[in-house]
Amino acid sequence: MNFLCLGHRKLLSQQYKHQQQSLWQEWMTKASLHYEFQQWSQAASYFGCAFELSCITLAKDNQQKEQLENNLTLAAIYLVNCFEHLKEYQKAELFNNECQQILLSYWSKNTDTKGCGICLNALIKKPQQAVFLQQFSQLVSFQQAPL
């Protein structure tokens, strides 16, 4: 399942890092507003776009590894949670697994990064999500953690 069309993915991959981060922040903020009002479908759309943008950025950036890992994981946790609220459990599992695979692949190529283990723990172990979210949700102005 894709949230971005091929043309947008190509366009986003050509943007500068700061433009990508700014757009990720914007999408996560919009998603958080929908999330606050329990508008799960709209929130999932924005979280999904932020998730895909994180994938694009992580694939080409070797500088800000831990921030990119955190961005990907944060978007994935909230996206999975939205799908769970929508009772779309297969989609939730699909994106959780996809994020885990992306992080595992990234970790195998970038063994010097410490953040992948923390991110993977947050995806695999639900109790670890609260710790992760408390630590990294300041990246976006969230008022509410996943329910």
Side-chain angles (χ1 to χ4, degrees), residues 72-116:
L72 178 74
T73 305
L74 191 61
I77 288 171
Y78 280 100
L79 177 60
V80 166
N81 187 262
C82 285
F83 283 136
E84 289 171 346
H85 280 291
L86 292 166
K87 299 189 183 343
E88 295 187 36
Y89 300 110
Q90 287 182 320
K91 286 182 185 177
E93 187 175 345
L94 173 81
F95 277 99
N96 194 348
N97 290 339
E98 183 178 345
C99 189
Q100 288 177 38
Q101 291 304 313
I102 290 166
L103 287 169
L104 284 169
S105 174
Y106 186 76
W107 203 0
S108 70
K109 297 172 191 162
N110 299 280
T111 55
D112 61 327
T113 181
K114 301 173 223 135
C116 276

Coordinates of all heavy atoms in Angstrom, one line a residue, residues 72-116:
L72 N 11.1 7.6 11.1 CA 10.4 6.4 10.5 C 9.6 5.7 11.5 O 8.4 5.3 11.3 CB 11.5 5.5 9.9 CG 10.9 4.2 9.2 CD1 10.3 4.5 7.9 CD2 12.1 3.2 9.0
T73 N 10.2 5.4 12.7 CA 9.6 4.7 13.7 C 8.4 5.4 14.3 O 7.3 4.8 14.5 CB 10.6 4.3 14.8 OG1 11.7 3.6 14.2 CG2 9.9 3.4 15.9
L74 N 8.5 6.7 14.5 CA 7.4 7.5 15.1 C 6.2 7.5 14.1 O 5.1 7.2 14.5 CB 7.9 8.9 15.3 CG 7.0 9.8 16.1 CD1 6.7 9.3 17.5 CD2 7.6 11.2 16.2
A75 N 6.5 7.7 12.8 CA 5.4 7.7 11.9 C 4.8 6.3 11.8 O 3.5 6.2 11.7 CB 5.9 8.1 10.5
A76 N 5.6 5.2 11.9 CA 5.0 3.9 11.8 C 4.2 3.5 13.0 O 3.1 2.9 12.9 CB 6.2 2.9 11.7
I77 N 4.6 3.9 14.2 CA 3.8 3.6 15.4 C 2.5 4.2 15.3 O 1.4 3.6 15.6 CB 4.6 4.1 16.7 CG1 5.8 3.2 16.9 CG2 3.7 4.1 17.9 CD1 6.7 3.7 18.0
Y78 N 2.4 5.5 15.0 CA 1.1 6.1 14.9 C 0.3 5.6 13.7 O -0.9 5.5 13.8 CB 1.3 7.7 14.8 CG 1.5 8.3 16.2 CD1 2.8 8.6 16.6 CD2 0.5 8.5 17.0 CE1 3.0 9.1 17.8 CE2 0.7 9.0 18.3 CZ 2.0 9.3 18.7 OH 2.2 9.9 20.0
L79 N 0.9 5.3 12.6 CA 0.2 4.8 11.4 C -0.4 3.4 11.8 O -1.6 3.2 11.6 CB 1.1 4.6 10.2 CG 0.5 4.0 9.0 CD1 -0.7 4.8 8.5 CD2 1.6 3.8 7.9
V80 N 0.3 2.6 12.4 CA -0.2 1.3 12.9 C -1.3 1.4 13.9 O -2.4 0.8 13.8 CB 1.0 0.4 13.5 CG1 0.5 -0.8 14.3 CG2 2.0 0.0 12.4
N81 N -1.2 2.4 14.8 CA -2.2 2.6 15.7 C -3.5 3.1 15.1 O -4.6 2.7 15.5 CB -1.7 3.7 16.8 CG -2.7 3.9 17.9 OD1 -3.5 4.8 17.9 ND2 -2.7 3.0 18.9
C82 N -3.4 4.0 14.1 CA -4.6 4.4 13.3 C -5.3 3.2 12.7 O -6.5 3.1 12.7 CB -4.2 5.5 12.3 SG -3.8 7.1 12.9
F83 N -4.5 2.4 12.0 CA -5.1 1.2 11.4 C -5.8 0.3 12.4 O -6.8 -0.3 12.2 CB -4.1 0.4 10.6 CG -3.7 1.0 9.3 CD1 -2.4 1.1 8.8 CD2 -4.7 1.6 8.4 CE1 -2.1 1.7 7.6 CE2 -4.5 2.1 7.2 CZ -3.1 2.2 6.8
E84 N -5.2 0.2 13.6 CA -5.8 -0.6 14.7 C -7.2 0.0 15.1 O -8.2 -0.7 15.3 CB -4.9 -0.8 15.9 CG -3.7 -1.7 15.6 CD -2.7 -1.7 16.6 OE1 -2.7 -0.8 17.5 OE2 -1.8 -2.6 16.6
H85 N -7.2 1.3 15.2 CA -8.5 2.0 15.5 C -9.5 1.8 14.4 O -10.7 1.8 14.7 CB -8.2 3.5 15.7 CG -7.7 3.9 17.1 ND1 -8.4 3.7 18.2 CD2 -6.5 4.3 17.5 CE1 -7.7 4.1 19.3 NE2 -6.5 4.5 18.8
L86 N -9.0 1.7 13.2 CA -10.0 1.5 12.1 C -10.3 0.0 11.9 O -11.0 -0.3 11.0 CB -9.3 2.0 10.8 CG -9.1 3.5 10.7 CD1 -8.2 3.9 9.5 CD2 -10.5 4.2 10.5
K87 N -9.8 -0.8 12.8 CA -9.9 -2.3 12.8 C -9.4 -2.9 11.5 O -9.9 -3.9 11.0 CB -11.4 -2.6 13.0 CG -11.9 -2.1 14.4 CD -13.2 -2.7 14.7 CE -13.8 -2.2 16.0 NZ -13.0 -1.6 17.0
E88 N -8.4 -2.3 10.9 CA -7.7 -2.8 9.8 C -6.4 -3.4 10.2 O -5.3 -2.9 10.0 CB -7.5 -1.7 8.8 CG -8.8 -1.1 8.2 CD -8.6 -0.1 7.1 OE1 -7.6 -0.3 6.3 OE2 -9.3 0.8 7.0
Y89 N -6.6 -4.6 10.9 CA -5.4 -5.2 11.6 C -4.4 -5.7 10.6 O -3.2 -5.7 11.0 CB -5.9 -6.3 12.5 CG -6.9 -5.7 13.6 CD1 -8.3 -6.0 13.5 CD2 -6.4 -4.9 14.6 CE1 -9.1 -5.5 14.5 CE2 -7.3 -4.3 15.5 CZ -8.6 -4.7 15.5 OH -9.5 -4.1 16.4
Q90 N -4.8 -6.2 9.5 CA -3.8 -6.7 8.5 C -2.9 -5.5 8.0 O -1.7 -5.7 7.9 CB -4.5 -7.3 7.3 CG -5.1 -8.7 7.7 CD -5.7 -9.3 6.5 OE1 -6.4 -8.7 5.6 NE2 -5.5 -10.7 6.3
K91 N -3.5 -4.4 7.8 CA -2.7 -3.2 7.4 C -1.7 -2.8 8.5 O -0.6 -2.4 8.2 CB -3.6 -2.0 7.0 CG -4.2 -2.2 5.6 CD -5.1 -1.0 5.3 CE -5.8 -1.2 4.0 NZ -6.7 0.0 3.7
A92 N -2.2 -2.8 9.7 CA -1.4 -2.5 10.9 C -0.2 -3.4 10.9 O 0.9 -3.0 11.1 CB -2.2 -2.6 12.1
E93 N -0.4 -4.7 10.8 CA 0.6 -5.7 10.9 C 1.6 -5.5 9.7 O 2.8 -5.6 9.8 CB 0.1 -7.1 10.9 CG 1.1 -8.1 11.1 CD 0.5 -9.5 11.3 OE1 -0.7 -9.7 11.5 OE2 1.3 -10.5 11.2
L94 N 1.0 -5.2 8.5 CA 1.9 -5.1 7.3 C 2.8 -3.9 7.5 O 4.0 -4.1 7.2 CB 1.0 -4.8 6.1 CG 1.7 -4.4 4.8 CD1 2.2 -5.7 4.1 CD2 0.7 -3.6 3.9
F95 N 2.4 -2.8 8.0 CA 3.3 -1.6 8.1 C 4.2 -1.8 9.3 O 5.4 -1.3 9.2 CB 2.5 -0.3 8.3 CG 2.0 0.2 6.9 CD1 0.8 0.0 6.5 CD2 2.9 0.9 6.1 CE1 0.4 0.5 5.2 CE2 2.6 1.4 4.9 CZ 1.3 1.2 4.4
N96 N 3.8 -2.4 10.4 CA 4.7 -2.7 11.4 C 5.9 -3.6 10.9 O 7.0 -3.3 11.2 CB 4.0 -3.4 12.6 CG 4.8 -3.4 13.9 OD1 6.0 -3.1 13.9 ND2 4.1 -3.7 15.0
N97 N 5.5 -4.7 10.2 CA 6.5 -5.6 9.7 C 7.4 -4.9 8.6 O 8.6 -5.1 8.6 CB 5.9 -6.8 9.0 CG 5.2 -7.7 10.1 OD1 5.6 -7.7 11.2 ND2 4.3 -8.5 9.7
E98 N 6.8 -4.0 7.8 CA 7.6 -3.3 6.8 C 8.6 -2.4 7.5 O 9.8 -2.4 7.0 CB 6.7 -2.5 5.9 CG 7.4 -1.8 4.8 CD 6.5 -1.0 3.8 OE1 5.3 -1.2 3.8 OE2 7.1 -0.1 3.1
C99 N 8.2 -1.7 8.5 CA 9.1 -0.8 9.2 C 10.2 -1.6 9.8 O 11.4 -1.2 9.8 CB 8.4 0.0 10.2 SG 9.4 1.3 11.0
Q100 N 9.9 -2.8 10.4 CA 10.9 -3.6 11.0 C 11.9 -4.1 10.0 O 13.1 -4.0 10.2 CB 10.3 -4.8 11.7 CG 9.5 -4.5 13.0 CD 8.8 -5.7 13.5 OE1 9.4 -6.8 13.5 NE2 7.6 -5.6 14.1
Q101 N 11.4 -4.5 8.8 CA 12.3 -4.9 7.8 C 13.2 -3.8 7.3 O 14.4 -4.0 7.0 CB 11.5 -5.5 6.6 CG 10.9 -6.9 6.9 CD 11.8 -7.9 7.5 OE1 12.9 -8.1 6.9 NE2 11.5 -8.5 8.6
I102 N 12.7 -2.6 7.1 CA 13.5 -1.5 6.7 C 14.6 -1.2 7.7 O 15.7 -1.0 7.3 CB 12.6 -0.2 6.5 CG1 11.7 -0.4 5.3 CG2 13.4 1.0 6.3 CD1 10.5 0.6 5.2
L103 N 14.2 -1.2 9.0 CA 15.2 -0.9 10.0 C 16.3 -2.0 10.1 O 17.5 -1.7 10.2 CB 14.5 -0.7 11.4 CG 13.8 0.6 11.5 CD1 12.9 0.5 12.8 CD2 14.7 1.8 11.5
L104 N 15.9 -3.3 10.0 CA 16.8 -4.4 10.0 C 17.8 -4.3 8.8 O 19.0 -4.5 9.0 CB 16.1 -5.7 10.0 CG 15.5 -6.1 11.3 CD1 14.6 -7.4 11.1 CD2 16.6 -6.4 12.4
S105 N 17.3 -4.0 7.7 CA 18.1 -3.8 6.5 C 19.1 -2.7 6.6 O 20.3 -2.8 6.3 CB 17.2 -3.7 5.2 OG 18.0 -3.4 4.1
Y106 N 18.5 -1.6 7.1 CA 19.4 -0.4 7.3 C 20.5 -0.7 8.3 O 21.6 -0.3 8.2 CB 18.5 0.8 7.8 CG 19.2 2.1 7.9 CD1 19.5 2.8 6.7 CD2 19.5 2.6 9.1 CE1 20.2 4.0 6.8 CE2 20.2 3.8 9.2 CZ 20.5 4.5 8.0 OH 21.2 5.7 8.1
W107 N 20.1 -1.3 9.4 CA 21.0 -1.6 10.5 C 22.2 -2.5 10.0 O 23.3 -2.4 10.4 CB 20.3 -2.3 11.7 CG 21.0 -2.2 13.0 CD1 22.2 -1.6 13.3 CD2 20.5 -2.8 14.2 NE1 22.4 -1.7 14.6 CE2 21.5 -2.4 15.2 CE3 19.4 -3.5 14.6 CZ2 21.3 -2.8 16.5 CZ3 19.2 -3.9 15.9 CH2 20.2 -3.5 16.9
S108 N 21.8 -3.5 9.1 CA 22.8 -4.4 8.6 C 23.9 -3.7 7.7 O 25.0 -4.1 7.6 CB 22.2 -5.5 7.8 OG 21.7 -5.1 6.6
K109 N 23.5 -2.5 7.1 CA 24.4 -1.8 6.3 C 25.1 -0.6 7.1 O 26.1 -0.1 6.6 CB 23.6 -1.2 5.1 CG 23.0 -2.2 4.2 CD 22.1 -1.5 3.2 CE 21.3 -2.6 2.4 NZ 20.2 -2.1 1.8
N110 N 24.5 -0.3 8.2 CA 25.0 0.8 9.0 C 25.2 0.4 10.5 O 24.5 0.8 11.3 CB 24.1 2.0 8.9 CG 23.9 2.6 7.5 OD1 24.7 3.3 7.0 ND2 22.8 2.2 6.9
T111 N 26.1 -0.5 10.7 CA 26.3 -1.1 12.0 C 26.7 -0.1 13.1 O 26.6 -0.5 14.3 CB 27.3 -2.3 11.9 OG1 28.5 -1.8 11.4 CG2 26.7 -3.4 11.1
D112 N 27.1 1.1 12.7 CA 27.6 2.0 13.7 C 26.4 2.8 14.3 O 26.6 3.6 15.3 CB 28.6 3.0 13.0 CG 27.9 3.8 11.9 OD1 27.1 3.3 11.2 OD2 28.3 5.0 11.7
T113 N 25.2 2.6 13.9 CA 24.1 3.3 14.5 C 23.5 2.5 15.7 O 23.3 1.3 15.6 CB 23.0 3.6 13.4 OG1 21.9 4.3 14.0 CG2 22.5 2.4 12.8
K114 N 23.2 3.3 16.7 CA 22.7 2.6 17.9 C 21.2 2.7 18.0 O 20.5 1.9 18.6 CB 23.2 3.4 19.2 CG 24.7 3.4 19.3 CD 25.1 4.3 20.5 CE 26.3 5.1 20.0 NZ 26.3 6.4 20.3
G115 N 20.6 3.6 17.2 CA 19.2 3.9 17.3 C 18.3 2.8 16.8 O 17.1 2.7 17.2
C116 N 18.8 2.0 15.8 CA 17.9 0.9 15.2 C 17.4 0.0 16.3 O 16.3 -0.5 16.2 CB 18.7 0.2 14.1 SG 18.6 1.0 12.6

